[in-house]
Amino acid sequence: MTGKSAQKHIYQQPGFFNQVICASLGSLSGIIASTGGTFSAVGIPSFERDENAPFIMGESEKAAFNSVLLLAMTFGPIVGPFMTTLEGPRTILLLLLLPIIASWLMLAFGDTIYVFFISRTILGMCGGISSSIGQIYLTEITSVEVRGFISSTGMLAQCWYAFIGSVAALFLSWRGLAILNAVLMTVHLLLAFLFPESPTWLLRKSTEMKARRALTFLRGKENVEVELLDLQSRVAKSKVHSQKFLDLLDR
């Protein structure tokens, strides 16, 4: 790295903006944790005040509703990384948005406590899966110069969506808040179609042309051959030293 490039601000790095907008998908786990937690904090009290609520939620049911999200999230990271052997991280995150949207709509229009719990479980599972896959995506799309900032976008998204939910709760009922979250996730879904797949994953699948196009978009420049060669070398080494799930049982 030359002295001139070392003095660049982070936002002046090639492809910084493109990597930031792609990070909005990689930070999905933080968004789920934030929206789910905010709904527990402001949505449930609104539900209790609603005279037209479909049912009455007792104290034990409220406690279970608030905790089932975190409980479901613990199972996601176990299966998440192995899903990337089938599809790329960007594709998996995109597909996860479908049940996430469905979970918020179930919450908005559900009329029993069981529907609420199913919705919460779906949201938690998706949050757990996206926690590991999202970090993989963030790591593999970013350049070294901006990787530290991009890796923190999960926490930034968590704070930002908590702020949105708290402000929205001043004007919206619990049902409106759930619909708002479904709309926001739909926006993420539409944007995700514009984002490239992980170049590293594409190289693992021997699709060099697609990897070059993805890297060109992420770096905001045409000449990416040096980085592409470096990625190819890393992928080749990783295949030699690849591990399997059963290796966890080996001494």
Side-chain angles (χ1 to χ4, degrees):
M1 182 181 292
T2 63
K4 183 178 180 179
S5 61
Q7 296 174 358
K8 286 184 178 179
H9 292 290
I10 187 172
Y11 59 83
Q12 294 176 315
Q13 296 295 335
F16 173 75
F17 177 74
N18 290 355
Q19 293 173 61
V20 168
I21 60 173
C22 290
S24 64
L25 180 62
S27 303
L28 187 58
S29 176
I31 294 173
I32 291 174
S34 178
T35 52
T38 302
F39 188 86
S40 295
V42 297
I44 294 303
S46 173
F47 180 88
E48 292 181 300
R49 294 191 300 267
D50 187 359
E51 297 180 354
N52 298 317
F55 56 88
I56 298 175
M57 188 179 292
E59 291 300 323
S60 60
E61 292 169 331
K62 284 192 296 182
F65 179 84
N66 293 334
S67 61
V68 72
L69 177 71
L70 297 177
L71 180 62
M73 288 186 74
T74 60
F75 295 99
I78 299 174
V79 299
F82 297 101
M83 295 175 68
T84 58
T85 61
L86 304 175
E87 291 292 344
R90 171 262 186 188
T91 302
I92 297 174
L93 292 171
L94 187 153
L95 293 175
L96 283 175
L97 282 164
L98 296 175
I100 291 170
I101 294 170
S103 72
W104 283 115
L105 293 177
M106 289 172 64
L107 197 63
F109 301 105
D111 56 359
T112 67
I113 188 65
Y114 302 106
V115 174
F116 271 44
F117 281 165
I118 293 172
S119 164
R120 201 69 165 173
T121 302
I122 293 173
L123 188 65
M125 285 292 296
C126 292
I129 294 172
S130 63
S131 65
S132 54
I133 294 181
Q135 195 56 49
I136 291 173
Y137 185 66
L138 290 177
T139 302
E140 293 185 349
I141 66 171
T142 52
S143 57
V144 175
E145 293 82 5
V146 303
R147 186 164 297 153
F149 173 80
I150 296 297
S151 296
S152 68
T153 53
M155 183 57 67
L156 292 174
Q158 195 166 342
C159 296
W160 176 243
Y161 274 83
F163 173 75
I164 292 176
S166 299
V167 173
L170 299 175
F171 309 97
L172 299 176
S173 66
W174 64 272
R175 199 186 302 274
L177 190 59
I179 294 174
L180 173 63
N181 286 329
V183 170
L184 292 174
M185 295 303 101
T186 302
V187 173
H188 275 283
L189 177 65
L190 297 176
L191 289 176
F193 284 101
L194 305 176
F195 301 158
E197 186 54 88
S198 158
T200 303
W201 188 87
L202 291 171
L203 287 175
R204 291 195 190 102
K205 299 300 177 180
S206 302
T207 52
E208 181 180 336
M209 185 176 297
K210 291 182 179 180
R212 180 180 285 105
R213 287 201 299 265
L215 203 57
T216 299
F217 174 84
L218 292 166
R219 300 299 177 263
K221 57 182 181 180
E222 295 296 329
N223 186 8
V224 294
E225 296 304 319
V226 174
E227 185 173 359
L228 187 64
L229 289 173
D230 181 59
L231 283 178
Q232 287 175 322
S233 175
R234 293 173 182 269
V235 168
K237 291 179 180 178
S238 69
K239 288 182 178 180
V240 173
H241 301 287
S242 63
Q243 296 177 325
K244 300 179 176 62
F245 178 75
L246 292 179
D247 291 340
L248 294 173
L249 306 178
D250 192 282
R251 292 181 61 187

